[in-house]
Amino acid sequence: MPQARITATGSYVPAKKLTNLDLEKMVDTSDEWITARTGIKERRIAARNQACSDLAAKAGASALKQRGMKSSELDLIIVATVTPDTFVPSAACMVQEKLGAAKAAAFDINAACSGFIYALSVANAFVRSGQYGKVLVIGSEVLSKITNWQDRSTCVLFGDGAGAVLVEPAPAGEGRIVSVDIHADGSKGDLLMIPAGGSRTPVSEETVKKGLHYLQMSGNETFKVAVKTLENLVLNTLRSNGLQSSQISLLIPHQANLRIIKATAERLGIPMERVAVNIDRFGNTSAASIPIALDEAVREGRLKRGEYVLLEAFGGGLTWASALLEW
Ligand code: ACO
């Protein structure tokens, strides 16, 4: 079976910044609390007329440009998101139209913050099976539009952005996706959810009045499950690939909370210099956070051919996932 690899990366974040000091004027919070509890200093907020597919198309175009590939060559576009422009059509179909990728199939994946790695696992399988040769994987979120800006327990956490990668067959010696692991536990789904707006509780005047169309999270409980689950996940990924943590050149964690990122790195014995962190500038951008951080690492020249890169994420569903890359 052929191997697959990431051949290019791209990202896009909206221009508007919302700082902790701005939030102090909106809800009963403080820069000290947000910084100490999360590591976030500021986040980006999409313009009124910007939706998921707008950010996604910009990130995708940036990856295509880096590779020097025409959008007409793409076989498949996968968008990982919990904030699509609409339920139907999918954000991926809108990206296909925006990029002019006429021959590409297109669909969305919802695995919350683990969505990018879930989408990467699908792209990896399509390329390895030989069905598709050029797959664009995008994580894109406009969480600011599903955030309750009166709820201090969630509104300080999230931001908007998009990141993208191209997945293609890997010639020997030119890097590869070594392994991808995806998991779920639906029994704890209520820890992080949008209660209304789906077929269980359609939108009504009452659900809007109660704010049930916004993202709700039991933060502290989610935190505890996340730390424990991620520790086991990353240790298992190393073990099953016969690697030591000293062989990982860069850990790229989902950016939900700096304390969770540090706890995972510490458990692995990886110093923070070898961990990608941008939560201070972008907050939690759910499915977009890993591909944005990966694109930053590539553009800063942090990744060298043959080095190992470990991606890991935990999010709503509950879902969790890891990917080991040989760059
Ligand atoms: N400003 C000031 N005080 C606040 C704020 C705020 N913005 N938010 C909550 N508080 C208060 C609470 O009311 C509470 O007060 P009390 O002690 O008087 O009751 C106190 O701060 C502590 O609240 P906790 O929720 O226990 O704080 P915690 O240390 O757990 O931090 C946080 C909260 C940052 C949300 C953390 O729990 C977390 O990061 N959870 C995990 C998030 C995560 O990984 N989610 C999954 C990915 S997201 C996705 O899939 C879309």
Side-chain angles (χ1 to χ4, degrees):
M1 217 188 247
Q3 307 256 36
R5 68 174 181 139
I6 291 175
T7 55
T9 61
S11 62
Y12 170 80
V13 292
K16 187 181 166 192
K17 291 178 185 173
L18 183 75
T19 66
N20 291 351
L21 299 181
D22 295 329
L23 280 163
E24 283 184 1
K25 293 174 205 142
M26 297 162 62
V27 287
D28 179 17
T29 190
S30 65
D31 177 42
E32 290 76 26
W33 191 95
I34 303 170
T35 306
R37 298 287 179 129
T38 71
I40 302 167
K41 296 301 277 185
E42 61 185 35
R43 65 291 286 146
R44 300 301 178 98
I45 304 292
R48 268 181 107 81
N49 63 353
Q50 275 183 317
C52 173
S53 70
D54 301 312
L55 277 55
K58 283 190 156 65
S62 145
L64 287 168
K65 188 172 170 210
Q66 192 188 80
R67 180 68 171 143
M69 185 190 288
K70 291 198 195 90
S71 57
S72 56
E73 295 175 53
L74 288 174
D75 298 311
L76 173 65
I77 298 169
I78 309 173
V79 175
T81 187
V82 295
T83 50
D85 306 35
T86 55
F87 277 163
V88 183
S90 67
C93 284
M94 295 180 188
V95 171
Q96 188 242 30
E97 195 269 330
K98 287 191 165 85
L99 292 178
K103 85 166 177 177
F107 59 85
D108 289 357
I109 282 183
N110 173 345
C113 298
S114 314
F116 173 75
I117 301 180
Y118 265 68
L120 187 67
S121 79
V122 176
N124 187 42
F126 268 122
V127 170
R128 297 201 68 186
S129 74
Q131 185 168 348
Y132 291 131
K134 293 182 168 98
V135 183
L136 181 61
V137 179
I138 306 174
S140 180
E141 302 284 12
V142 183
L143 294 166
S144 62
K145 296 193 188 182
I146 58 162
T147 295
N148 181 348
W149 290 102
Q150 279 151 22
D151 174 8
R152 70 173 183 174
S153 72
T154 54
C155 77
V156 302
L157 304 173
F158 301 112
D160 302 335
V165 301
L166 275 167
V167 180
E168 298 179 67
E174 292 190 24
R176 68 199 164 108
I177 297 169
V178 181
S179 70
V180 195
D181 246 340
I182 58 174
H183 304 272
D185 177 3
S187 73
K188 296 195 181 74
D190 57 351
L191 289 182
L192 207 169
M193 71 185 308
I194 299 177
S199 57
R200 175 71 57 200
T201 311
V203 174
S204 66
E205 210 178 316
E206 196 194 342
T207 63
V208 173
K209 231 184 261 164
K210 289 183 176 160
L212 300 179
H213 54 299
Y214 292 129
L215 191 66
Q216 299 181 356
M217 180 167 70
S218 306
N220 195 265
E221 207 171 323
T222 307
F223 183 95
K224 288 179 202 150
V225 183
V227 171
K228 204 159 165 250
T229 305
L230 285 170
E231 274 185 18
N232 291 333
L233 175 72
V234 289
L235 291 173
N236 280 339
T237 303
L238 288 187
R239 205 171 297 131
S240 61
N241 286 291
L243 288 180
Q244 305 292 321
S245 60
S246 57
Q247 292 171 273
I248 302 297
S249 294
L250 191 65
L251 174 67
I252 305 187
H254 166 52
Q255 311 280 310
N257 187 315
L258 188 58
R259 289 185 290 149
I260 299 178
I261 294 172
K262 283 185 170 163
T264 310
E266 199 170 297
R267 189 71 182 85
L268 274 175
I270 294 184
M272 287 306 285
E273 304 85 74
R274 301 209 319 265
V275 182
V277 175
N278 63 19
I279 189 170
D280 50 329
R281 287 174 290 129
F282 302 131
N284 179 350
T285 57
S286 190
S289 86
I290 289 176
I292 292 173
L294 177 61
D295 185 47
E296 284 191 329
V298 168
R299 286 171 203 271
E300 287 162 7
R302 286 182 85 177
L303 304 178
K304 306 271 176 306
R305 169 79 14 104
E307 288 182 347
Y308 286 112
V309 182
L310 181 58
L311 318 179
E312 46 92 342
F314 179 91
L318 296 176
T319 56
W320 59 101
S322 70
L324 180 70
L325 313 176
E326 188 188 315
W327 198 251

